[in-house]
Amino acid sequence: MTVCAVDTVPGNGGRAAPTGFAIAADGSYAARLTVAEGGGGWIPERWTLDGPEPYAVPLPGPRPEGPGTQVLPLPDGRVLICRRAADRHHLALLYPSGPRTGELPLGSVESERLTLLPPAPDGLSVHALSPGRSGGRGTAVWLVHGGSYGPEPVAEVPGRCSGGTWLDREGRLLALDRTDASGRTKAVVVDLERGEVSPLLQITDDSDDRLLLADPDSGLLLVRSDAPGETRLGWGVLGSHRPVRFPEALRPQGVALTPFAIQPGQALVPEGCAVALRVDGPNGTWVAVWRPTQRRLRHLAAPQGWLRGSGLWTVDGELRLPYSTDHTPCGLARIAVPAPEPEPLPRPRPEPVAEGAGAVPRGPSAAGEESGSFTVFTLRSVARTPVPLQQAPLARTAAERRS
């Protein structure tokens, strides 16, 4: 999970700092930019999260980092750093080396913009997005770490893409939010092994359907869509024929909700997965927990100095929230969130469906319908035939890259 956030840094006069707090795929390490001692600019900092107490190791370079620098921790303890210089992005691996910082250059990417994606679940590769070479009408997917020849473009997806969510544990299926020439945004799946793109979310023809989070173990998806007539949070299950639901619990008045972590390890029980959400309201920012089986949010106080919008779940349901204060520069709040008694979900009225495979649902599903405490939308049937991507000259299969 990667969190690109702007926050205030303790001991820095409340100035905004590009925390860019990111957590490794296995939750073992984290990394961010922080203020150097004496206020001499930004430096990378690595947090160790899997011990009895978290601790931070500064990784200063020969000069302070710019505010556009991105950092991403790897499960082996190294930190990938991406520095921009004019229209070129330089990548390297940082690691502690005695009193100094070791640095292994990885190469560079020439582009006006390069955005690191959340760490792949396999822990072996890191990808990034940049504007494509087809006159700005596409998006290039780069493998910036994990290959044999430095950064390499592996595919180009038609349309402007953002987001970036992994759907499998192998780091092969990448979901992106693609905006087409008409300005409509739909989530699509990029198969990096086969070089194909196919639809993921198509709630209605005219809706903007974005994927926010996905859990590869249970298949739980958290989406944001304006299909119900206003932009709302909803949930569905990957590979299921069940409808996308927009619960009233995820529609509280006067606050904004942003999901940032899903409980892993809940195979075959997506309804029982705990979801952590950042809540922003007129009285500040705090944390809420929700499960698809619940009709209400459970609100929790965030620790002082919380690196807002960042955190992770353990398999057994412990929510861990990183924080930093003047007295505790590297802290991790551990909140045990027991699973509540399941609440019966209201059952939506059955949809009339035309006979034959691949039929398009008729009637209320085109506009959604209220059913108890949530709005139901049946996914419209769309062509699931994968579309070949424009492959870059150096693109190879994942197996070839790892050999």
Side-chain angles (χ1 to χ4, degrees), residues 14-32:
R15 285 193 293 127
T19 61
F21 196 83
I23 301 176
D26 63 352
S28 55
Y29 294 97
R32 67 166 181 166

Side-chain angles (χ1 to χ4, degrees), residues 113-145:
R113 185 173 67 256
L114 187 73
T115 304
L116 296 181
L117 293 177
D122 63 2
L124 302 174
S125 56
V126 178
H127 293 76
L129 300 180
S130 76
R133 292 174 290 182
S134 56
R137 295 185 298 272
T139 300
V141 181
W142 289 78
L143 176 68
V144 297
H145 174 62

Side-chain angles (χ1 to χ4, degrees), residues 271-291:
E271 294 87 352
C273 284
V275 179
L277 304 103
R278 168 178 167 170
V279 187
D280 293 289
N283 297 322
T285 298
W286 63 96
V287 180
V289 174
W290 171 82
R291 289 176 172 85

Side-chain angles (χ1 to χ4, degrees), residues 284-303:
T285 298
W286 63 96
V287 180
V289 174
W290 171 82
R291 289 176 172 85
T293 55
Q294 293 179 266
R295 299 190 194 181
R296 58 185 62 86
L297 296 173
R298 179 176 181 178
H299 296 275
L300 305 172

Side-chain angles (χ1 to χ4, degrees), residues 269-354:
V269 285
E271 294 87 352
C273 284
V275 179
L277 304 103
R278 168 178 167 170
V279 187
D280 293 289
N283 297 322
T285 298
W286 63 96
V287 180
V289 174
W290 171 82
R291 289 176 172 85
T293 55
Q294 293 179 266
R295 299 190 194 181
R296 58 185 62 86
L297 296 173
R298 179 176 181 178
H299 296 275
L300 305 172
Q304 183 181 3
W306 178 39
L307 300 178
R308 293 177 291 183
S310 60
L312 70 155
W313 287 97
T314 63
V315 172
D316 57 1
E318 183 180 74
L319 179 60
R320 299 180 177 180
L321 302 175
Y323 65 93
S324 180
T325 66
D326 289 329
H327 298 293
T328 309
C330 175
L332 190 67
R334 303 169 187 264
I335 304 173
V337 183
E341 291 296 324
E343 301 176 21
L345 289 172
R347 298 182 64 84
R349 188 169 64 250
E351 293 284 349
V353 178

Side-chain angles (χ1 to χ4, degrees), residues 80-114:
L80 186 144
I81 190 167
C82 178
R83 304 180 177 107
R84 178 173 180 174
D87 287 336
R88 188 170 289 274
H89 299 262
H90 301 277
L91 297 121
L93 292 176
L94 306 180
Y95 54 92
S97 180
R100 301 180 180 273
T101 300
E103 183 166 328
L104 176 64
L106 296 178
S108 61
V109 174
E110 185 175 359
S111 175
E112 64 185 55
R113 185 173 67 256
L114 187 73

